[in-house]
Amino acid sequence: MKKYNIINNLPIGLDFYNYDKKKVKLYSDWFVNNKLIRVEELTHVIVADTQFKTWRPDYSEESLTLLSHWFLNNVERELLSENEYEEKKTSFSSEIHVENWDLSLATYSKIMDVGIYLGDTMIFNNKDLKWEQYTKNKRENNYGHMVIKIRNLEMNPIWLIYILAIKIAKGVRKENGILEIYQIWCNILKDPDWTQKQIK
């Protein structure tokens, strides 16, 4: 298995709520200048796996199906040291269960790269969409993140892939997880009432 090239050149941390708009703009600039490089890294690693050597980043649903299967088997977690675990627990209420592990650094890089490809696939197949940085409200979870506006919602592909990775790390297997995320947002794009219909 080819070693994953970890992202090590971010201009600021991803704790965007600690920064003003001018500072978070540095991340937006990094994103624009590096996203193609990151998709190339993702591609090189995937095709190096003989099971996925036919994968191509062609923005198709088929590519998302294969990517879903690859990602399912490439989420890694690492046990925290006793000190790291105690420090992590102090960040949460005592009523909240805190895992004694975290995702590996390589997995965090995969999350960003897969999220970029997922977002690019949405945009490639829906020409009116585009990446933009959310800076309206510092109290919103999307503050500082690169999002895609779909109707009155912001799709945050990287965050969605992070949530998927956490589920996988906890043993929840989603065979077509990335494809399902894509299809949900395509449905929202086509039908403004789709979400409400699902609730009913």
Side-chain angles (χ1 to χ4, degrees):
M1 178 69 69
K2 184 179 183 297
K3 187 176 180 181
Y4 210 84
N5 184 18
I6 293 171
I7 297 171
N8 60 5
N9 64 339
L10 289 173
I12 59 174
L14 297 180
D15 51 343
F16 298 123
Y17 53 85
N18 285 323
Y19 305 106
D20 59 24
K21 291 181 181 180
K22 185 176 179 180
K23 200 78 171 178
V24 298
K25 176 69 166 54
L26 295 174
Y27 172 68
S28 173
D29 294 340
W30 175 91
F31 187 90
V32 170
N33 292 327
N34 285 271
K35 74 184 186 71
L36 289 179
I37 296 170
R38 295 312 310 176
V39 172
E40 287 176 2
E41 169 62 19
L42 178 68
T43 303
H44 289 155
V45 171
I46 293 175
V47 300
D49 185 333
T50 54
Q51 190 178 353
F52 300 95
K53 63 182 179 181
T54 61
W55 190 77
R56 295 292 180 272
D58 61 4
Y59 310 112
S60 65
E61 290 199 2
E62 289 77 13
S63 74
L64 294 178
T65 298
L66 272 179
L67 183 59
S68 296
H69 296 167
W70 176 85
F71 191 66
L72 183 64
N73 296 300
N74 283 275
V75 169
E76 305 157 327
R77 65 186 199 181
E78 298 175 341
L79 283 176
L80 299 173
S81 68
E82 191 172 328
N83 287 340
E84 289 171 332
Y85 181 48
E86 291 301 321
E87 184 178 341
K88 183 179 178 182
K89 285 199 296 186
T90 61
S91 303
F92 297 89
S93 164
S94 59
E95 299 173 356
I96 298 175
H97 172 72
V98 178
E99 302 287 356
N100 65 343
W101 51 265
D102 194 0
L103 299 173
S104 69
L105 286 177
T107 297
Y108 278 111
S109 293
K110 293 170 192 174
I111 287 167
M112 182 166 287
D113 298 346
V114 171
I116 289 170
Y117 180 70
L118 171 60
D120 280 351
T121 301
M122 284 294 304
I123 292 169
F124 182 86
N125 293 302
N126 301 280
K127 300 302 184 184
D128 293 334
L129 301 181
K130 62 180 181 178
W131 287 104
E132 52 189 290
Q133 189 173 41
Y134 182 86
T135 56
K136 284 184 180 178
N137 187 344
K138 203 170 186 178
R139 291 191 292 271
E140 291 284 342
N141 285 337
N142 283 333
Y143 177 76
H145 288 268
M146 299 302 292
V147 300
I148 300 169
K149 286 188 177 179
I150 297 179
R151 298 198 178 276
N152 61 337
L153 301 172
E154 286 90 24
M155 178 190 184
N156 186 336
I158 294 170
W159 179 256
L160 292 169
I161 297 300
Y162 169 74
I163 297 300
L164 178 63
I166 292 294
K167 289 180 179 178
I168 293 170
K170 288 182 176 181
V172 180
R173 295 184 66 82
K174 298 277 288 182
E175 296 293 336
N176 291 308
I178 299 168
L179 176 63
E180 288 176 9
I181 293 170
Y182 172 78
Q183 290 174 334
I184 286 170
W185 283 91
C186 284
N187 286 330
I188 293 171
L189 180 64
K190 293 172 186 174
D191 182 355
D193 299 321
W194 185 84
T195 305
Q196 290 301 318
K197 290 176 183 175
Q198 299 309 302
I199 295 172
K200 292 176 182 177

